[in-house]
Amino acid sequence: NSYDVIAIINTGTDKEKYTNIQQTDTSKDTLMLNNKYYQLSKDYIPDDLVDVKNWYSYGTNAKLREIAYNAFVNMYNAAKEQNLTIIINSSYRSYQEQEEIYNQYLSQHGQEYTDAYAARPGHSEHQTGLTMDVTTYGANGKNFDQTDEFKWLQDNAHLYGFILRYPKDKEYLTGYDYESWHYRYVGVEAATIIHDNNITFDEYYA
């Protein structure tokens, strides 16, 4: 439809991925755009990263920007009141860590598959420190959207400033396949607009 055409042009997704690359405008802070067209520099590291307590995450050394972490803790506690548990599986990743992941995918799966599922270094939202992959007990990436936790997040994540970053059937706008586990902090105001209008962050940013 015509709305989609406008959205595609406004978000720049009419161009070939990883072409026409611009530097991410980090002055936009929690609303910075980082995708297959906007890149963070090799040495970009948020200056307010905090350690995620093991209580909230699988594995050690998990970090998030403080504003996103505090919002997550509030969201975690609200979910807990409903006997639901949201666990961080992956959070901040440096440029170098993303490079390792990308190269590993590349050697195993080839270019096309890798670019559908893994961001190139500098193009991963995880480098912003505002993004986390979540799970719950007994779930994996493939079936997280079958869980009560996912259903709760669909209705409540925006109240804490989080959005489902790569929704189903929006791949043509986000450049990524559907990821039910990937949540991005954008603040309550933006998250509510995105949620209520059923749009992607790319459209909101454009």
Side-chain angles (χ1 to χ4, degrees):
N1 63 35
S2 59
Y3 174 78
D4 278 354
V5 171
I6 292 164
I8 288 167
I9 291 165
N10 285 350
T11 55
T13 42
D14 53 328
K15 300 179 182 71
E16 190 63 33
K17 293 175 186 67
Y18 295 119
T19 62
N20 199 36
I21 290 166
Q22 300 177 52
Q23 287 303 302
T24 291
D25 182 359
T26 56
S27 74
K28 293 202 185 305
D29 196 31
T30 56
L31 293 176
M32 70 175 78
L33 182 62
N34 183 228
N35 60 14
K36 291 179 179 179
Y37 305 94
Y38 287 85
Q39 182 179 34
L40 285 165
S41 69
K42 196 173 284 198
D43 47 13
Y44 176 78
I45 301 170
D47 57 11
D48 55 352
L49 288 172
V50 294
D51 293 325
V52 175
K53 290 199 174 107
N54 287 356
W55 180 262
Y56 304 114
S57 84
Y58 283 148
T60 53
N61 302 327
K63 294 182 190 306
L64 277 172
R65 283 189 54 188
E66 190 171 17
I67 193 168
Y69 181 53
N70 292 340
F72 172 78
V73 170
N74 290 337
M75 186 167 75
Y76 175 95
N77 289 335
K80 261 299 186 209
E81 285 174 17
Q82 308 294 318
N83 293 316
L84 302 170
T85 306
I86 300 165
I87 304 160
I88 294 174
N89 214 3
S90 177
S91 47
Y92 170 73
R93 288 201 292 264
S94 69
Y95 183 100
Q96 290 71 23
E97 287 171 301
Q98 189 63 32
E99 200 164 33
E100 283 172 30
I101 290 168
Y102 184 83
N103 289 340
Q104 196 176 350
Y105 263 85
L106 203 54
S107 64
Q108 290 172 347
H109 303 290
Q111 191 83 52
E112 196 176 335
Y113 179 96
T114 299
D115 280 336
Y117 290 96
R120 293 184 186 181
H123 294 272
S124 169
E125 272 208 336
H126 286 279
Q127 195 183 342
T128 66
L130 297 166
T131 293
M132 59 197 186
D133 297 337
V134 299
T135 187
T136 191
Y137 303 129
N140 60 41
K142 296 280 180 264
N143 67 13
F144 180 66
D145 62 2
Q146 309 299 308
T147 66
D148 290 335
E149 281 77 2
F150 174 78
K151 293 181 184 76
W152 186 87
L153 284 168
Q154 290 294 92
D155 295 331
N156 295 282
H158 66 286
L159 302 174
Y160 303 91
F162 289 96
I163 55 164
L164 177 69
R165 182 64 182 89
Y166 305 127
K168 194 177 265 183
D169 301 326
K170 296 278 192 167
E171 292 89 342
Y172 63 96
L173 288 171
T174 64
Y176 284 95
D177 283 10
Y178 170 52
E179 293 189 356
S180 63
W181 57 88
H182 182 117
Y183 288 82
R184 158 75 189 266
Y185 181 81
V186 293
V188 174
E189 188 185 342
T192 302
I193 292 168
I194 289 164
H195 173 268
D196 292 354
N197 291 285
N198 191 30
I199 58 174
T200 62
F201 179 61
D202 308 80
E203 293 164 275
Y204 174 85
Y205 187 91

